[in-house]
Each structure stands twice: as C-alpha cells, then as structure tokens.
Amino acid sequence: MTPELYVPAITPFAADLSVDTGRLVDHAQALLAAGAHGLAPFGTTSEANSLSVEERIEGLEALLGAGIDPARIIPGTGCAALPDTIRLTRHAWEAGCKGALMLPPFYYKGVPEAGLADAFSRAIEGAGEGAVYLYHIPQMSGVPITAGLIETLIGRFGGAIAGLKDSSGDWAGTEALIRAFPGLAIYSASESLIPRNVAAGGAGCISASANVNPEGIRRLIDALGTADEGAALEQVSAVRRIFEGLPLIPSIKAAVAAQRGDAAYARVRPPFRPADPAGEGVRRAVAAAAGVPA
Amino acid sequence: MTPELYVPAITPFAADLSVDTGRLVDHAQALLAAGAHGLAPFGTTSEANSLSVEERIEGLEALLGAGIDPARIIPGTGCAALPDTIRLTRHAWEAGCKGALMLPPFYYKGVPEAGLADAFSRAIEGAGEGAVYLYHIPQMSGVPITAGLIETLIGRFGGAIAGLKDSSGDWAGTEALIRAFPGLAIYSASESLIPRNVAAGGAGCISASANVNPEGIRRLIDALGTADEGAALEQVSAVRRIFEGLPLIPSIKAAVAAQRGDAAYARVRPPFRPADPAGEGVRRAVAAAAGVPA
C-alpha cells in the first residue's frame, strides 16, 4: 500500500468552549493543502472523548459540508457506550467515510477478549456497512486491542476490518501486528517511525504533531528510499522532540495557535488546561512551530 | 449522620440488550422493600458507562414514574464528555434527586488536578443547583479524586459538595478522607467496611453485592453497637466473599436472576459476557444468593 499521513485534527473551541466548526474546517483544509493524505478527526488528540455524540456528528457534517472528500476522512467513532458507537459509526459510514476509527469500550477494565469481540461485533452489525480501523491506545483507554481480538474480528467480518492505529508507542508490538495481519493498514502514531513502519509493510502514520508539521511529514513520506530521507526524518523528529515532556494536546494547540496567529486555537476543554504560553517548553514549541510552514 | 445503605442497582436488559425499565423498577422497589435506604443507580455496577445519555435519562424517569422518592436516589451522572455530564446532572437535580454521583472525566489520564477541578466546576455550574457526590474508583476510571481536588471544590461550592463514594478498596485512604472532610458523607464500597466506616464518621456503604443481600446489610447497619453486630458482619462478609475472584457484575446479575427466578436479570451488555451458569464460582454465588432473602 502507498504510505499515507492521516492527521488527527485538533478540535478548536469558541470562547464558551462550544465546538468552533469554522476553525475546525479552516484547520482541516489547511492540513490537506499542506499535503496530508487525509484526516482522522475526533480521536484522542481531537479531545473527542470530551465531546457529546451530537457535537461529533455536527463536526463531521461541517467537514463534509465544506466539501472535504469523505473518502479522505477516518473519524473516531468508538465510545464507552455501545449505542453511541453505533450512532457515530453509522453516521460516518452513511456519509461515505473511508472508515471509522474505533476505540474499544474504555470504561470497564479487565474485561474478557470475547466481551470486546462482542462489543465490536454489535457495533459493526448495528452500524451497517463500512470499514473499521481499530484504535489501540492502551495508555489512555486501559483496554488493549490484542492480536487474538483482531483475529476474531477478521474471522467474523473479513475485509471490513481494514486497519489499525497503533498509538501504544511500542514498535516491536506494531511490527508483530504488521507481520501477523498483512491485510490490515497499520498506522503508527509517531512520524519518527514512518521509515520502519513502511519498510515492515505498514500504512504510514496518524500523528498528533502532524497538526503542526504536515508538510514535513509528507516530505518524509515522499522521500522514503531517496537521498532526502535522512534529512526529512531528522526534521520531523526534531519537531516531534519539542513536545516531549509537555502536556501533548494543549501544547499542540498552542503551537497551532502560534502558527496561525490566532490564539483561539489554543483553547482546550477540561480536564485539560491551556498550555502556559510563558512556560519554557511551550515557548520552544511555539517558536519551532512558527518556523514550520503551516 | 445516620449510616445508610444505597444500592448501586444493576440495569436489567431485554433480549435485544435494550434497557428493561420494567425489571429495573421491579428490582429497585424490591431493594427498597428489603431495607435499603436508597438507590445509587447508573454507576459502575449498573453498567451505566455502557448506556447512552438518553437511556440513562429514561431509566431514571422510569424509577421516578414508579413513585420512588427522588430524595432516595443518587444517580450516577459523570461521563467522559462534559456536555453529557451536564445534561445528566441537570436532569437528576431538576427531578429532585438527593444528589448526583459524579465520576471525573475518565478518558484522558494524567490530567492536572486543576483541569479536573475545572471539569467538575463547569459541570456543576452548567447543571444548576443540587448536591454532588464525588465518585472515586481509580481502578476503573484511571483518574483519582484527590484530597486537593476535594478541597478546591469545597472552596468553590461549599455544601453542594455533599459526599463521596470511595470504591478504591483502600481503607486507610477512606479513613483519611473522612477525617479531612468531616462535612462530607463518605460511603465505602464494601459492606465489610461498614463498622469501620461508621466508627470513623462515615456515611455507610454503596456496594455492588447489596443487589443480592440488601436485608443482611441493612441488618448490619441496624445492629451497629449492639450484641448482634458480629453475627451480622459475619453474614454480609460471607456473602461478599462468594464473589471474590469472579467477574463481579456478571456474577451479581446471575445471582439476582437466581434469587428472583428470572434468568433475564443475568443479561449483560458487552464488553461484559454473561457469567457461565455452569461455572463453579457462579454456582456457589447462585446457591448462596438463593439462601439470602431478596
């Protein structure tokens, strides 16, 4: 498969912390214009788990209403509650989205693999027809997507199980999944892993920092196997390192705000706090972001 | 304060796994008739995080419509998404409920205490006027309710911060909270802790196994400080021990089903699996529950 960059676009908020669909669309269009292959909105970086089902539907409608091709959108649709997952997945599939990025139900911990298989199966059967991208981010969800679960779901739904986003940060685990499931499009969550991901047969990346550095990451993808690969990898890794040790989502939003010269992008919903613009880390991130073409 | 038993009532499901409000009401009324002081529905044991906001509102409406006094209900209202928490809390408060049992926003981990304080504050301000019971269950939520957070919220909202359910299982931690916040009604999640909880100045218990053993737990509360306390404590502890090592919620539901002679009560929503009725542990739980007056 041709490697791709899908951006987990941030969700901008108005002063009253309602979703700012105008800036959501502006940012999404800027990301695509900068070379992103597509968008993976309403995931972790998008603060989607702080949004109601209605807000997520309206947000996706705004992107579609602005003319963004649904075949370039993989919205997050996995919620704690099965009826919510069904509603969002059906909406995404009926809109013609490339697929639905599904978290496992994430409140209850230590549940059996067979129970998770039931949850995904009922979500898929309840939502209709479309592609599923499984979302493995155990450090947030507390509920891992295991190889056994993937195997069960492929056994039940075949090619509808289209891919997986591996946000675990565990490259050995990602590599094992790519080898075990060659038919799945497996994305890493870090652009630094793109060369290894693609060499192993992976699909590319869906990375938070792509909100700040879409051009650089696209350049790396296009440079794979050429003389420019090393320099491109060094650029994306340098941008990514800026955010290490900072609260990721507020800092990414502060950097986008600096890049666009629009402080509104820095707003976050609780339980996050806005990044302290006077903090040393955020000042570095903002300065570096300002030097990155948006 | 007079010690109390509030029961985190299970949520029965129909064959299609929609909420069975008829059995929900029947079970709730049976619990109150058996001596429970009140109900804490739509919490963890109730599988509330597997229900949509609409299902939770309809479930509470069913209980109220059946004539259950709202002053005896503390429904769970805390969700991952702030708009959902506001909607459920406003509904509970407008219905006259004794209070709202609020989980912290539980998807994002490692968030700052100040961000959690913001989340609770916006939920309370958005919902209107009523009492808040904070819900500390870090092994599920991944987000603890710390003493610093409680102090901040009491500073902002005074007596509206009415209590806390401590499901951590850490008695030393509960005791420290009872001593630090004498104005809070602090409930333990295990009936075995009732004597210690009440002696320290706590409010009683909100325990999953109260779905199976409400009479026994009420008997213990009434026997505190009398010659019958030891035997009553032994009875509730014996029932509770049956569920150790079993998947708690499915086993509680299987035991209720056995008690009521109605297999429908055993249904669970994914990601849970129904308890295996042939399993040794469940057979013991069911046999013991059958011997407990419902």
Side-chain angles (χ1 to χ4, degrees), chain A residues 15-17 43-55 80-84 87 103 105-109 111-112 114-116 118-120 122 135 137 139-142 156 249 269-274, chain B residues 15-17 43-55 80-84 87 103 105-109 111-112 114-116 118-120 122 135 137 139-142 156 249 269-274:
Chain A
D16 66 358
L17 299 192
T44 301
T45 305
S46 321
E47 298 169 76
N49 297 103
S50 300
L51 309 181
S52 68
V53 168
E54 290 74 18
E55 287 175 321
L82 182 60
D84 295 344
R87 221 176 125 199
L103 280 170
F106 53 79
Y107 180 73
Y108 295 102
K109 310 302 190 292
V111 295
L116 289 172
D118 286 353
F120 278 106
R122 282 184 178 262
Y135 191 178
I137 181 166
Q139 69 275 32
M140 284 292 173
S141 67
R156 289 187 195 168
I249 295 168
R269 239 182 217 187
F272 291 118
R273 297 275 284 184
Chain B
D16 66 358
L17 298 193
T44 300
T45 305
S46 321
E47 299 171 75
N49 297 103
S50 301
L51 308 182
S52 69
V53 168
E54 291 73 19
E55 286 174 322
L82 181 60
D84 295 344
R87 222 176 123 199
L103 282 170
F106 54 79
Y107 180 72
Y108 295 102
K109 310 302 190 290
V111 295
L116 290 171
D118 286 354
F120 278 105
R122 281 184 179 264
Y135 192 177
I137 182 166
Q139 69 275 30
M140 283 293 172
S141 66
R156 288 187 195 168
I249 295 167
R269 243 184 211 186
F272 291 117
R273 296 276 283 183

